[in-house]
Amino acid sequence: ENCFKMGGVPWAQVLLLADMYGTIQSPNFPDSYPKDNELQWNVTVPSGYTIRLYFMHFDIEPSYLCEYDYVKVSCFEAPTSFCGRENTDTERVPADDVILSPGSMLSVAFRSDFSNEERYSGFEAHYSAVDIDECRGKNDEELACDHFCHNYIGGYYCSCRYGYQLHSDNRTCKVECSDSVYTERSGLITSSDFPKPYPKSSDCVYRIEVEEGFLVTLDFEDSFDIEDHPEVPCPYDYIKIEAGARVFGPFCGDRPPDRIQTLSNSVSIRFHSDNSGENLGWKLTYASAGNSPQVLHSH
Ligand SMILES: [Ca+2]
Ligand SMILES: [Ca+2]
Ligand SMILES: [Ca+2]
């Protein structure tokens, strides 16, 4: 609604157009338009569409910078005013330009001043709703979908590669990754897809359960890459280790934590990722050693 006010002519008579296509004409078209006229057409189409505007005819009294009569197309960063019969250094006509709105709204305002030096036949324009191809991002950061994007008329949807599930944000792809329990005395654990970027929007729990009396030690490898923030500690993605009442972490960034002596035979490694970023993840080896033998006091 804002863009209708910003670029339009506030005193104009306003016509609301909500059809998927239509025609906009100056008053009396194709006869000459009356003087002292102010009219505004506000076109709205459903979200998922932009508006294509094309002038089939254009003949508006020319004046320096279009200060007398003009057609103003707004809902753009810079509204454009048109007048005259051809482009000059200071005035523009739409000619055969196709005007595409940035959003689902477009406003066309027409104004004629108190006099017309000649007869001017005015303008006729056609507008239509055009599907936005949401899958055509300008760069990786702007991609609508994490994995696969499917455009359709009026919208789009996302899907995921085999083995992933679409998160409830309908955009990112998460993994199911909390089933693993490691019961061997030593082993290797990595983030999903390591050393490729780990999945977004996922919460993984890796459990190590070794026999009682054994204590688990964790050693992260040097290739460690978890999304971090220069000031806030691990606000996006993090790894956190719970061993009994002990908690280690959260850890993130590009330097792995030092060796972790969990002092427990039961360890949960939690790994959380948010819905953005491409970081490579982590890899650790764990080992367990028998507790130092209990000293038995003889009676
Ligand atoms: Ca005039
Ligand atoms: Ca679409
Ligand atoms: Ca992230």
Side-chain angles (χ1 to χ4, degrees):
E1 293 80 356
N2 264 348
C3 81
F4 288 153
K5 280 182 196 151
M6 274 159 47
V9 189
W11 59 84
Q13 183 192 344
V14 175
L15 300 168
L16 302 177
L17 303 176
D19 290 333
M20 297 297 272
Y21 62 91
T23 302
I24 299 171
Q25 293 173 334
S26 51
N28 300 340
F29 184 85
D31 289 338
S32 56
Y33 60 79
K35 58 188 180 166
D36 266 328
N37 216 276
E38 283 145 2
L39 255 175
Q40 184 174 334
W41 296 262
N42 288 350
V43 183
T44 310
V45 294
S47 64
Y49 294 90
T50 56
I51 301 160
R52 179 186 183 276
L53 181 73
Y54 183 78
F55 285 85
M56 295 168 281
H57 181 87
F58 195 87
D59 177 31
I60 302 284
E61 180 179 21
S63 59
Y64 178 68
L65 296 177
C66 302
E67 58 188 352
Y68 295 166
D69 302 354
Y70 57 79
V71 171
K72 189 189 240 175
V73 181
S74 44
C75 297
F76 294 88
E77 274 179 34
T80 310
S81 291
F82 298 108
C83 68
R85 285 171 168 155
E86 58 186 11
N87 283 321
T88 68
D89 289 345
T90 45
E91 291 85 45
R92 285 186 59 201
V93 294
D96 62 354
D97 287 353
V98 171
I99 299 169
L100 265 183
S101 68
S104 57
M105 292 188 284
L106 181 106
S107 177
V108 178
F110 167 72
R111 177 192 186 250
S112 62
D113 70 349
F114 63 90
S115 75
N116 291 335
E117 290 197 0
E118 290 175 38
R119 292 169 50 84
Y120 301 98
S121 52
F123 71 92
E124 183 180 36
H126 184 79
Y127 78 86
S128 55
V130 179
D131 174 57
I132 299 170
D133 185 351
E134 293 87 350
C135 298
R136 220 176 40 196
K138 290 177 194 74
N139 58 54
D140 275 1
E141 294 288 299
E142 292 176 12
L143 286 181
C145 299
D146 193 2
H147 288 181
F148 302 127
C149 184
H150 310 273
N151 181 54
Y152 63 85
I153 304 300
Y156 73 102
Y157 70 94
C158 301
S159 67
C160 298
R161 287 197 290 271
Y162 181 79
Y164 291 78
Q165 291 160 357
L166 193 62
H167 186 262
S168 58
D169 63 12
N170 285 330
R171 192 184 74 75
T172 53
C173 297
K174 59 173 185 170
V175 282
E176 209 46 74
C177 50
S178 295
D179 296 334
S180 11
V181 181
Y182 297 80
T183 52
E184 303 288 316
R185 286 186 190 165
S186 64
L188 185 73
I189 307 176
T190 68
S191 50
S192 297
D193 297 345
F194 185 86
K196 285 195 247 163
Y198 52 79
K200 301 177 178 72
S201 303
S202 297
D203 279 288
C204 302
V205 183
Y206 308 87
R207 283 171 48 220
I208 303 170
E209 301 280 351
V210 296
E211 297 123 284
E212 270 188 51
F214 283 79
L215 303 181
V216 174
T217 304
L218 307 176
D219 281 295
F220 282 90
E221 294 206 349
D222 282 341
S223 54
F224 184 89
D225 178 26
I226 298 179
E227 187 179 19
D228 64 353
H229 186 281
E231 283 125 46
V232 185
C234 306
Y236 308 125
D237 307 341
Y238 54 83
I239 192 164
K240 203 168 162 181
I241 292 143
E242 292 164 18
R246 286 189 177 77
V247 177
F248 304 89
F251 302 109
C252 61
D254 55 11
R255 250 175 297 159
D258 291 336
R259 164 175 292 185
I260 295 172
Q261 309 270 11
T262 68
L263 303 181
S264 174
N265 69 316
S266 168
V267 176
S268 287
I269 298 159
R270 299 181 178 277
F271 182 48
H272 169 81
S273 60
D274 72 352
N275 62 5
S276 68
E278 294 282 321
N279 298 76
L280 301 181
W282 50 269
K283 178 179 185 178
L284 68 80
T285 52
Y286 75 89
S288 45
N291 205 346
S292 49
Q294 298 276 320
V295 179
L296 297 175
H297 296 279
S298 52
H299 296 281

